[in-house]
Amino acid sequence: MSSEIQLSLFNEESNLNQQDLIPTDGKIPIPPGTYNNMAELAQHCNQCQRCELGSTRTHAVVGRGNLKAPIMVVGEAPGQNEDETGLPFVGRSGQLLDKILASVDLTTEHDVYIANINKCRPPENRVPTPNEMAACLPYLLEQIRLVNPKIILLTGATAVKGLTGDKRGITKIRGQWLEWEGHLCMPIFHPSYLLRNPSKEQGSPKWLMWQDIRAVRAKYDEIRESN
Ligand code: URA
């Protein structure tokens, strides 16, 4: 590090400057408390080259919804619509996700903030690699710290694995509450899986999602009543 850069660390107004100094190597950690707000984090995500996905993105996709929401939804990674708009879950999966939330009166305006494990779109919508997930995880951890949700919904096995490290299949663990770092987490199916399995018969993925989202609503009400 040059002495000019070292000296700049003494600047009082240097929060953003310090971020600019954070190495883009995905293996070097971004410490908790780095970002004061989501705008600072978004600015860094849009400059980020911590993994190779940074070289093909149109926009980094950080989040949408209430920045103080009691419920956070974590998806996998942006698709084409998200890459183009810079907003998570705005394509077909996202429309279904909004309907699932609305079925129990949850909205991104009031109750929900939505983010992803990876902020940049993987080519051809492939699953992000373990290295890509690890490089991006500090941003999600900062988002969780800033929003501080009571409940986190993890959509699909990649979201579960990316945040908690739990490698079990989603069919095994969906609908079961697990605790991660003081937050209650509920693994649920990814909406794209429901798009591929449209049956609503008892025991079908959509039917199971209906059980799970009602359990989430009930837990949310219970937490609100106890506060
Ligand atoms: N699928 C995801 O997991 N996230 C998005 O933002 C869009 C689709």
PDB file of all heavy atoms in Angstrom, residues 17-42:
ATOM      1  N   ASN A  17     -14.082   6.230   0.968  1.00  0.00           N
ATOM      2  CA  ASN A  17     -12.713   6.022   0.496  1.00  0.00           C
ATOM      3  C   ASN A  17     -12.186   4.692   0.985  1.00  0.00           C
ATOM      4  O   ASN A  17     -11.527   3.965   0.270  1.00  0.00           O
ATOM      5  CB  ASN A  17     -11.793   7.150   0.992  1.00  0.00           C
ATOM      6  CG  ASN A  17     -12.131   8.463   0.336  1.00  0.00           C
ATOM      7  OD1 ASN A  17     -12.791   8.452  -0.697  1.00  0.00           O
ATOM      8  ND2 ASN A  17     -11.718   9.558   0.925  1.00  0.00           N
ATOM      9  N   GLN A  18     -12.511   4.379   2.253  1.00  0.00           N
ATOM     10  CA  GLN A  18     -12.022   3.112   2.791  1.00  0.00           C
ATOM     11  C   GLN A  18     -12.599   1.939   2.019  1.00  0.00           C
ATOM     12  O   GLN A  18     -11.910   0.964   1.773  1.00  0.00           O
ATOM     13  CB  GLN A  18     -12.413   2.984   4.259  1.00  0.00           C
ATOM     14  CG  GLN A  18     -11.538   3.833   5.157  1.00  0.00           C
ATOM     15  CD  GLN A  18     -11.704   3.450   6.613  1.00  0.00           C
ATOM     16  OE1 GLN A  18     -11.890   2.279   6.902  1.00  0.00           O
ATOM     17  NE2 GLN A  18     -11.636   4.423   7.490  1.00  0.00           N
ATOM     18  N   GLN A  19     -13.881   2.082   1.645  1.00  0.00           N
ATOM     19  CA  GLN A  19     -14.462   0.988   0.854  1.00  0.00           C
ATOM     20  C   GLN A  19     -13.720   0.812  -0.448  1.00  0.00           C
ATOM     21  O   GLN A  19     -13.499  -0.304  -0.899  1.00  0.00           O
ATOM     22  CB  GLN A  19     -15.907   1.306   0.499  1.00  0.00           C
ATOM     23  CG  GLN A  19     -16.859   1.064   1.609  1.00  0.00           C
ATOM     24  CD  GLN A  19     -18.196   1.581   1.191  1.00  0.00           C
ATOM     25  OE1 GLN A  19     -18.609   1.354   0.056  1.00  0.00           O
ATOM     26  NE2 GLN A  19     -18.840   2.302   2.055  1.00  0.00           N
ATOM     27  N   ASP A  20     -13.369   1.971  -1.050  1.00  0.00           N
ATOM     28  CA  ASP A  20     -12.671   1.867  -2.326  1.00  0.00           C
ATOM     29  C   ASP A  20     -11.365   1.107  -2.177  1.00  0.00           C
ATOM     30  O   ASP A  20     -10.850   0.538  -3.119  1.00  0.00           O
ATOM     31  CB  ASP A  20     -12.396   3.266  -2.894  1.00  0.00           C
ATOM     32  CG  ASP A  20     -13.696   3.946  -3.295  1.00  0.00           C
ATOM     33  OD1 ASP A  20     -14.690   3.221  -3.488  1.00  0.00           O
ATOM     34  OD2 ASP A  20     -13.709   5.179  -3.384  1.00  0.00           O
ATOM     35  N   LEU A  21     -10.830   1.116  -0.939  1.00  0.00           N
ATOM     36  CA  LEU A  21      -9.557   0.451  -0.717  1.00  0.00           C
ATOM     37  C   LEU A  21      -9.717  -1.037  -0.426  1.00  0.00           C
ATOM     38  O   LEU A  21      -8.734  -1.753  -0.329  1.00  0.00           O
ATOM     39  CB  LEU A  21      -8.830   1.102   0.461  1.00  0.00           C
ATOM     40  CG  LEU A  21      -8.492   2.581   0.256  1.00  0.00           C
ATOM     41  CD1 LEU A  21      -7.843   3.151   1.493  1.00  0.00           C
ATOM     42  CD2 LEU A  21      -7.564   2.727  -0.934  1.00  0.00           C
ATOM     43  N   ILE A  22     -10.952  -1.493  -0.236  1.00  0.00           N
ATOM     44  CA  ILE A  22     -11.136  -2.909   0.073  1.00  0.00           C
ATOM     45  C   ILE A  22     -10.715  -3.735  -1.135  1.00  0.00           C
ATOM     46  O   ILE A  22     -11.180  -3.504  -2.256  1.00  0.00           O
ATOM     47  CB  ILE A  22     -12.601  -3.202   0.437  1.00  0.00           C
ATOM     48  CG1 ILE A  22     -12.901  -2.559   1.782  1.00  0.00           C
ATOM     49  CG2 ILE A  22     -12.851  -4.700   0.512  1.00  0.00           C
ATOM     50  CD1 ILE A  22     -14.330  -2.638   2.181  1.00  0.00           C
ATOM     51  N   PRO A  23      -9.822  -4.693  -0.912  1.00  0.00           N
ATOM     52  CA  PRO A  23      -9.313  -5.453  -2.056  1.00  0.00           C
ATOM     53  C   PRO A  23     -10.450  -6.195  -2.765  1.00  0.00           C
ATOM     54  O   PRO A  23     -11.374  -6.675  -2.112  1.00  0.00           O
ATOM     55  CB  PRO A  23      -8.344  -6.449  -1.419  1.00  0.00           C
ATOM     56  CG  PRO A  23      -8.091  -5.949  -0.047  1.00  0.00           C
ATOM     57  CD  PRO A  23      -9.274  -5.145   0.355  1.00  0.00           C
ATOM     58  N   THR A  24     -10.372  -6.278  -4.069  1.00  0.00           N
ATOM     59  CA  THR A  24     -11.426  -6.952  -4.814  1.00  0.00           C
ATOM     60  C   THR A  24     -11.207  -8.459  -4.860  1.00  0.00           C
ATOM     61  O   THR A  24     -12.055  -9.182  -5.347  1.00  0.00           O
ATOM     62  CB  THR A  24     -11.519  -6.398  -6.251  1.00  0.00           C
ATOM     63  OG1 THR A  24     -10.234  -6.472  -6.815  1.00  0.00           O
ATOM     64  CG2 THR A  24     -12.029  -4.975  -6.265  1.00  0.00           C
ATOM     65  N   ASP A  25     -10.096  -8.934  -4.336  1.00  0.00           N
ATOM     66  CA  ASP A  25      -9.863 -10.385  -4.272  1.00  0.00           C
ATOM     67  C   ASP A  25     -10.933 -11.022  -3.385  1.00  0.00           C
ATOM     68  O   ASP A  25     -11.090 -10.651  -2.218  1.00  0.00           O
ATOM     69  CB  ASP A  25      -8.464 -10.613  -3.676  1.00  0.00           C
ATOM     70  CG  ASP A  25      -8.110 -12.091  -3.599  1.00  0.00           C
ATOM     71  OD1 ASP A  25      -9.037 -12.922  -3.570  1.00  0.00           O
ATOM     72  OD2 ASP A  25      -6.908 -12.403  -3.570  1.00  0.00           O
ATOM     73  N   GLY A  26     -11.669 -11.983  -3.963  1.00  0.00           N
ATOM     74  CA  GLY A  26     -12.787 -12.606  -3.262  1.00  0.00           C
ATOM     75  C   GLY A  26     -12.401 -13.340  -1.995  1.00  0.00           C
ATOM     76  O   GLY A  26     -13.254 -13.654  -1.175  1.00  0.00           O
ATOM     77  N   LYS A  27     -11.131 -13.621  -1.826  1.00  0.00           N
ATOM     78  CA  LYS A  27     -10.711 -14.385  -0.636  1.00  0.00           C
ATOM     79  C   LYS A  27     -10.449 -13.460   0.555  1.00  0.00           C
ATOM     80  O   LYS A  27     -10.338 -13.904   1.682  1.00  0.00           O
ATOM     81  CB  LYS A  27      -9.447 -15.195  -0.943  1.00  0.00           C
ATOM     82  CG  LYS A  27      -9.713 -16.282  -1.972  1.00  0.00           C
ATOM     83  CD  LYS A  27      -8.776 -17.451  -1.819  1.00  0.00           C
ATOM     84  CE  LYS A  27      -9.207 -18.646  -2.647  1.00  0.00           C
ATOM     85  NZ  LYS A  27      -9.466 -18.320  -4.066  1.00  0.00           N
ATOM     86  N   ILE A  28     -10.308 -12.172   0.269  1.00  0.00           N
ATOM     87  CA  ILE A  28     -10.009 -11.230   1.356  1.00  0.00           C
ATOM     88  C   ILE A  28     -11.330 -10.743   1.947  1.00  0.00           C
ATOM     89  O   ILE A  28     -12.217 -10.307   1.221  1.00  0.00           O
ATOM     90  CB  ILE A  28      -9.147 -10.067   0.835  1.00  0.00           C
ATOM     91  CG1 ILE A  28      -7.817 -10.654   0.334  1.00  0.00           C
ATOM     92  CG2 ILE A  28      -8.915  -9.026   1.921  1.00  0.00           C
ATOM     93  CD1 ILE A  28      -6.869  -9.667  -0.273  1.00  0.00           C
ATOM     94  N   PRO A  29     -11.495 -10.866   3.259  1.00  0.00           N
ATOM     95  CA  PRO A  29     -12.802 -10.571   3.842  1.00  0.00           C
ATOM     96  C   PRO A  29     -13.180  -9.092   3.780  1.00  0.00           C
ATOM     97  O   PRO A  29     -12.301  -8.230   3.712  1.00  0.00           O
ATOM     98  CB  PRO A  29     -12.663 -11.028   5.300  1.00  0.00           C
ATOM     99  CG  PRO A  29     -11.207 -11.149   5.556  1.00  0.00           C
ATOM    100  CD  PRO A  29     -10.522 -11.349   4.248  1.00  0.00           C
ATOM    101  N   ILE A  30     -14.477  -8.833   3.780  1.00  0.00           N
ATOM    102  CA  ILE A  30     -14.999  -7.482   4.000  1.00  0.00           C
ATOM    103  C   ILE A  30     -15.548  -7.513   5.422  1.00  0.00           C
ATOM    104  O   ILE A  30     -16.506  -8.241   5.693  1.00  0.00           O
ATOM    105  CB  ILE A  30     -16.123  -7.140   2.992  1.00  0.00           C
ATOM    106  CG1 ILE A  30     -15.568  -7.128   1.569  1.00  0.00           C
ATOM    107  CG2 ILE A  30     -16.763  -5.811   3.331  1.00  0.00           C
ATOM    108  CD1 ILE A  30     -16.636  -6.902   0.495  1.00  0.00           C
ATOM    109  N   PRO A  31     -14.950  -6.773   6.337  1.00  0.00           N
ATOM    110  CA  PRO A  31     -15.346  -6.931   7.744  1.00  0.00           C
ATOM    111  C   PRO A  31     -16.761  -6.439   8.019  1.00  0.00           C
ATOM    112  O   PRO A  31     -17.215  -5.492   7.371  1.00  0.00           O
ATOM    113  CB  PRO A  31     -14.329  -6.060   8.496  1.00  0.00           C
ATOM    114  CG  PRO A  31     -13.365  -5.554   7.499  1.00  0.00           C
ATOM    115  CD  PRO A  31     -13.895  -5.785   6.134  1.00  0.00           C
ATOM    116  N   PRO A  32     -17.440  -7.058   8.986  1.00  0.00           N
ATOM    117  CA  PRO A  32     -18.758  -6.565   9.393  1.00  0.00           C
ATOM    118  C   PRO A  32     -18.634  -5.117   9.859  1.00  0.00           C
ATOM    119  O   PRO A  32     -17.638  -4.749  10.479  1.00  0.00           O
ATOM    120  CB  PRO A  32     -19.139  -7.471  10.583  1.00  0.00           C
ATOM    121  CG  PRO A  32     -18.215  -8.628  10.545  1.00  0.00           C
ATOM    122  CD  PRO A  32     -16.995  -8.215   9.778  1.00  0.00           C
ATOM    123  N   GLY A  33     -19.632  -4.305   9.532  1.00  0.00           N
ATOM    124  CA  GLY A  33     -19.600  -2.899   9.940  1.00  0.00           C
ATOM    125  C   GLY A  33     -18.957  -1.996   8.905  1.00  0.00           C
ATOM    126  O   GLY A  33     -18.832  -0.798   9.120  1.00  0.00           O
ATOM    127  N   THR A  34     -18.568  -2.559   7.762  1.00  0.00           N
ATOM    128  CA  THR A  34     -17.926  -1.755   6.714  1.00  0.00           C
ATOM    129  C   THR A  34     -18.878  -0.698   6.157  1.00  0.00           C
ATOM    130  O   THR A  34     -18.477   0.434   5.901  1.00  0.00           O
ATOM    131  CB  THR A  34     -17.442  -2.670   5.570  1.00  0.00           C
ATOM    132  OG1 THR A  34     -16.416  -3.512   6.077  1.00  0.00           O
ATOM    133  CG2 THR A  34     -16.908  -1.864   4.392  1.00  0.00           C
ATOM    134  N   TYR A  35     -20.139  -1.091   5.968  1.00  0.00           N
ATOM    135  CA  TYR A  35     -21.077  -0.169   5.300  1.00  0.00           C
ATOM    136  C   TYR A  35     -22.022   0.458   6.308  1.00  0.00           C
ATOM    137  O   TYR A  35     -22.561  -0.212   7.182  1.00  0.00           O
ATOM    138  CB  TYR A  35     -21.865  -0.922   4.216  1.00  0.00           C
ATOM    139  CG  TYR A  35     -20.945  -1.531   3.187  1.00  0.00           C
ATOM    140  CD1 TYR A  35     -20.747  -2.904   3.135  1.00  0.00           C
ATOM    141  CD2 TYR A  35     -20.225  -0.726   2.319  1.00  0.00           C
ATOM    142  CE1 TYR A  35     -19.873  -3.467   2.220  1.00  0.00           C
ATOM    143  CE2 TYR A  35     -19.335  -1.273   1.400  1.00  0.00           C
ATOM    144  CZ  TYR A  35     -19.169  -2.634   1.360  1.00  0.00           C
ATOM    145  OH  TYR A  35     -18.283  -3.175   0.459  1.00  0.00           O
ATOM    146  N   ASN A  36     -22.238   1.774   6.146  1.00  0.00           N
ATOM    147  CA  ASN A  36     -23.169   2.487   7.035  1.00  0.00           C
ATOM    148  C   ASN A  36     -24.600   2.345   6.569  1.00  0.00           C
ATOM    149  O   ASN A  36     -25.529   2.547   7.327  1.00  0.00           O
ATOM    150  CB  ASN A  36     -22.826   3.979   7.074  1.00  0.00           C
ATOM    151  CG  ASN A  36     -21.501   4.211   7.760  1.00  0.00           C
ATOM    152  OD1 ASN A  36     -21.262   3.666   8.837  1.00  0.00           O
ATOM    153  ND2 ASN A  36     -20.637   4.993   7.141  1.00  0.00           N
ATOM    154  N   ASN A  37     -24.786   2.075   5.307  1.00  0.00           N
ATOM    155  CA  ASN A  37     -26.148   1.967   4.769  1.00  0.00           C
ATOM    156  C   ASN A  37     -26.099   1.197   3.449  1.00  0.00           C
ATOM    157  O   ASN A  37     -25.021   0.900   2.913  1.00  0.00           O
ATOM    158  CB  ASN A  37     -26.759   3.364   4.564  1.00  0.00           C
ATOM    159  CG  ASN A  37     -25.852   4.237   3.731  1.00  0.00           C
ATOM    160  OD1 ASN A  37     -25.465   3.860   2.625  1.00  0.00           O
ATOM    161  ND2 ASN A  37     -25.483   5.400   4.252  1.00  0.00           N
ATOM    162  N   MET A  38     -27.300   0.905   2.937  1.00  0.00           N
ATOM    163  CA  MET A  38     -27.396   0.052   1.750  1.00  0.00           C
ATOM    164  C   MET A  38     -26.858   0.766   0.504  1.00  0.00           C
ATOM    165  O   MET A  38     -26.377   0.129  -0.426  1.00  0.00           O
ATOM    166  CB  MET A  38     -28.858  -0.357   1.541  1.00  0.00           C
ATOM    167  CG  MET A  38     -29.053  -1.698   0.930  1.00  0.00           C
ATOM    168  SD  MET A  38     -28.381  -3.075   1.885  1.00  0.00           S
ATOM    169  CE  MET A  38     -29.727  -3.432   2.985  1.00  0.00           C
ATOM    170  N   ALA A  39     -26.946   2.094   0.487  1.00  0.00           N
ATOM    171  CA  ALA A  39     -26.462   2.832  -0.688  1.00  0.00           C
ATOM    172  C   ALA A  39     -24.944   2.668  -0.828  1.00  0.00           C
ATOM    173  O   ALA A  39     -24.429   2.470  -1.936  1.00  0.00           O
ATOM    174  CB  ALA A  39     -26.842   4.303  -0.562  1.00  0.00           C
ATOM    175  N   GLU A  40     -24.241   2.725   0.295  1.00  0.00           N
ATOM    176  CA  GLU A  40     -22.784   2.527   0.249  1.00  0.00           C
ATOM    177  C   GLU A  40     -22.448   1.122  -0.246  1.00  0.00           C
ATOM    178  O   GLU A  40     -21.554   0.919  -1.071  1.00  0.00           O
ATOM    179  CB  GLU A  40     -22.172   2.706   1.647  1.00  0.00           C
ATOM    180  CG  GLU A  40     -22.103   4.147   2.115  1.00  0.00           C
ATOM    181  CD  GLU A  40     -21.435   4.286   3.480  1.00  0.00           C
ATOM    182  OE1 GLU A  40     -20.872   3.293   3.998  1.00  0.00           O
ATOM    183  OE2 GLU A  40     -21.488   5.390   4.025  1.00  0.00           O
ATOM    184  N   LEU A  41     -23.198   0.153   0.282  1.00  0.00           N
ATOM    185  CA  LEU A  41     -22.969  -1.244  -0.112  1.00  0.00           C
ATOM    186  C   LEU A  41     -23.238  -1.431  -1.609  1.00  0.00           C
ATOM    187  O   LEU A  41     -22.459  -2.071  -2.328  1.00  0.00           O
ATOM    188  CB  LEU A  41     -23.882  -2.144   0.736  1.00  0.00           C
ATOM    189  CG  LEU A  41     -23.775  -3.645   0.561  1.00  0.00           C
ATOM    190  CD1 LEU A  41     -24.006  -4.340   1.913  1.00  0.00           C
ATOM    191  CD2 LEU A  41     -24.787  -4.186  -0.427  1.00  0.00           C
ATOM    192  N   ALA A  42     -24.331  -0.823  -2.093  1.00  0.00           N
ATOM    193  CA  ALA A  42     -24.697  -0.961  -3.507  1.00  0.00           C
ATOM    194  C   ALA A  42     -23.625  -0.353  -4.402  1.00  0.00           C
ATOM    195  O   ALA A  42     -23.302  -0.897  -5.471  1.00  0.00           O
ATOM    196  CB  ALA A  42     -26.047  -0.308  -3.760  1.00  0.00           C
TER     197      ALA A  42
END
